[in-house]
Amino acid sequence: MTLNPYTYLTVSMRAGEPSRVGVYFNSVELRARAWLGDGNKPCFDLDTPDASVTVSTAGPVTDQDLTVAQEIFNAAARYLADCERLHSEQTAKATADEAA
């Protein structure tokens, strides 16, 4: 089953707890880019036609900023590996189904 692309936003606010905002991109129209913003701050964007999220440092790059950047890199590498594996499995299944 293939769903149409979509983006949705959730906001959770509870008394005595920090607010939480979630942006969910489920779209082939998703674009990722990295760039240097004002003041030479590193920025990382995820964009669709509907919404965008930008991650950036609060000021000069700190050790914690490096840790976050490494986590983003590792998560993106895992996402790529999962996509490649699933695509390969789906292609093999489609080929087998056509041969049957």
Side-chain angles (χ1 to χ4, degrees):
M1 175 175 72
T2 301
L3 298 174
N4 290 328
Y6 63 94
T7 300
Y8 69 92
L9 171 75
T10 62
V11 178
S12 176
M13 297 186 301
R14 295 190 175 107
E17 294 183 23
S19 298
R20 178 163 172 76
V21 176
V23 180
Y24 301 86
F25 297 114
N26 297 279
S27 174
V28 296
E29 299 177 33
L30 182 65
R31 300 290 177 258
R33 72 182 184 118
W35 52 284
L36 289 175
D38 294 340
N40 217 25
K41 288 174 37 174
C43 299
F44 176 69
D45 292 342
L46 292 174
D47 293 298
T48 68
D50 301 322
S52 66
V53 172
T54 300
V55 176
S56 184
T57 63
V61 176
T62 65
D63 289 343
Q64 183 61 30
D65 292 320
L66 291 175
T67 298
V68 170
Q70 290 167 344
E71 290 172 354
I72 291 169
F73 178 85
N74 291 335
R78 171 68 190 270
Y79 180 74
L80 173 61
D82 288 343
C83 286
E84 288 174 336
R85 178 182 51 80
L86 292 169
H87 183 264
S88 177
E89 290 171 4
Q90 293 161 358
T91 301
K93 183 181 183 320
T95 301
D97 289 348
E98 288 175 8

